Amino acid sequence: MTHDPAQIATGPLSIVFTDLDGTFLTTDKRVHPTCRAALEALQEHQVPFVICTGRAVSGVYPELRALPALSYIIACNGAVVANATTSQELHATPLGHQRARQLFDAVAHLDVNVDFFADGCAYAEKDRFSKLDTYGLEPHFLAQTRRSRRVVESLVELLDQVGRVDRMSVYYHTPEQRRAVLEAAEAMGGLTVTSSEFCNLEISDKEANKGTAACWLCDYLGIPVEEAAAFGDGLNDTPMLAALGDGVAMANAQPGVADYANHITALINDEGGVGDYLLRRLAAQD
């Protein structure tokens, strides 16, 4: 393992997985020109590109679906694997209705925002969602979250209407609220709790994470995990960085993320760090 940003992996590169927010996308949710150039190079090399995100499948918007080389989407932190062109789901590891309702009942008394990710979409409850700007979220992330949610009057009523519940997220204000959510999830067992922002917790089935989903997709495609590269900046990316052949932490990653990586980018997300790394690695192979 090296954290020298001048270093890149060697050996065949057969598939690329990357987180979106804070990793592949700039802070203002754009695709840096260097990242776009890298995707064009991946397409020329016939290397599939996979978006791995905590977002629901519907949160990967048309402008992202049009990216060169994009082949698959791993959504909901690994709970769903889908074809990027058709949105056909290939694999799912859901949270389920019963556990979603039990978790909601356990935290409903708290002043927190709760989202359910179900049937490829993200849902929030009107009264709680109206307070989203009180959590101190970065403005562009706040705008993206607002754009991606379908607001309903009652999440309890929603559970009677959706076909499958993939995961749940909670935005909290205080350490006490965070602890209460963690205790509720731990008391149930069989769950995994991670985070992509300083004020949120993301709760899924214990087998649903970006690492297990990426490994499943590699197996499905017949690609050795040793020939896969992954990029991430958050704690919810660490299973993917640890599981694949070349886990690359962003230079702007949250504290501790680099501990799970083989390499680190030379540039941050706003400078096209993913694209810079990929272009250097592909050039070394030519």
Side-chain angles (χ1 to χ4, degrees), residues 7-285:
Q7 298 296 313
I8 58 173
T10 58
L13 178 62
S14 299
I15 191 168
V16 174
F17 298 83
T18 183
D19 173 54
L20 281 179
D21 302 300
T23 301
F24 187 75
L25 297 180
T26 60
T27 301
D28 58 0
K29 309 305 175 187
R30 294 181 300 106
V31 178
H32 192 279
T34 304
C35 289
R36 187 173 294 276
L39 294 193
E40 292 171 354
L42 289 178
Q43 191 170 53
E44 292 176 4
H45 285 76
Q46 297 184 322
V47 175
F49 174 65
V50 185
I51 286 175
C52 302
T53 178
R55 302 185 191 190
V57 172
S58 63
V60 182
Y61 303 123
E63 58 266 32
L64 296 173
R65 301 287 185 102
L67 289 171
L70 179 61
S71 303
Y72 300 94
I73 297 168
I74 292 176
C76 301
N77 283 341
V80 178
V81 182
N83 182 291
T85 302
T86 65
S87 293
Q88 176 188 3
E89 293 182 358
L90 306 175
H91 181 68
T93 310
L95 174 65
H97 292 72
Q98 182 177 351
R99 291 190 294 185
R101 176 60 189 272
Q102 187 175 343
L103 279 168
F104 183 79
D105 288 346
V107 304
H109 66 287
L110 300 172
D111 180 23
V112 296
N113 181 71
V114 178
D115 299 328
F116 283 144
F117 290 64
D119 293 345
C121 299
Y123 296 90
E125 199 167 65
K126 182 178 179 181
D127 289 344
R128 296 176 186 273
F129 196 65
S130 66
K131 304 175 184 178
L132 192 65
D133 60 358
T134 67
Y135 294 93
L137 293 170
E138 188 277 326
H140 293 99
F141 187 87
L142 176 63
Q144 191 281 128
T145 304
R146 283 178 168 155
R147 177 186 178 187
S148 66
R149 298 307 190 262
R150 297 187 179 187
V151 181
V152 299
E153 292 291 335
S154 168
L155 286 177
V156 171
E157 293 180 4
L158 173 76
L159 289 176
D160 294 328
Q161 302 168 12
V162 295
R164 191 185 71 223
V165 182
D166 292 314
R167 80 168 178 90
M168 171 177 166
S169 68
V170 178
Y171 289 90
Y172 57 85
H173 293 105
T174 67
E176 291 76 20
Q177 291 171 345
R178 180 180 187 275
R179 185 161 52 249
V181 176
L182 284 172
E183 289 174 353
E186 290 169 358
M188 289 181 59
L191 302 175
T192 184
V193 183
T194 187
S195 176
S196 59
E197 292 293 316
F198 70 94
C199 62
N200 89 322
L201 293 170
E202 302 170 356
I203 307 168
S204 309
D205 182 89
K206 67 177 181 179
E207 298 299 327
N209 63 65
K210 293 184 182 183
T212 56
C215 288
W216 181 90
L217 184 57
C218 285
D219 183 66
Y220 175 79
L221 297 174
I223 296 174
V225 295
E226 294 80 12
E227 298 179 11
F231 297 84
D233 76 304
L235 295 175
N236 62 339
D237 300 316
T238 57
M240 177 174 67
L241 300 184
L244 302 182
D246 186 22
V248 186
M250 297 301 295
N252 55 282
Q254 295 176 8
V257 172
D259 294 341
Y260 294 84
N262 306 98
H263 296 94
I264 189 167
T265 62
L267 304 174
I268 65 172
N269 64 313
D270 286 330
E271 299 168 327
V274 171
D276 170 74
Y277 184 95
L278 286 173
L279 288 172
R280 287 190 289 132
R281 180 162 179 185
L282 289 171
Q285 294 185 173

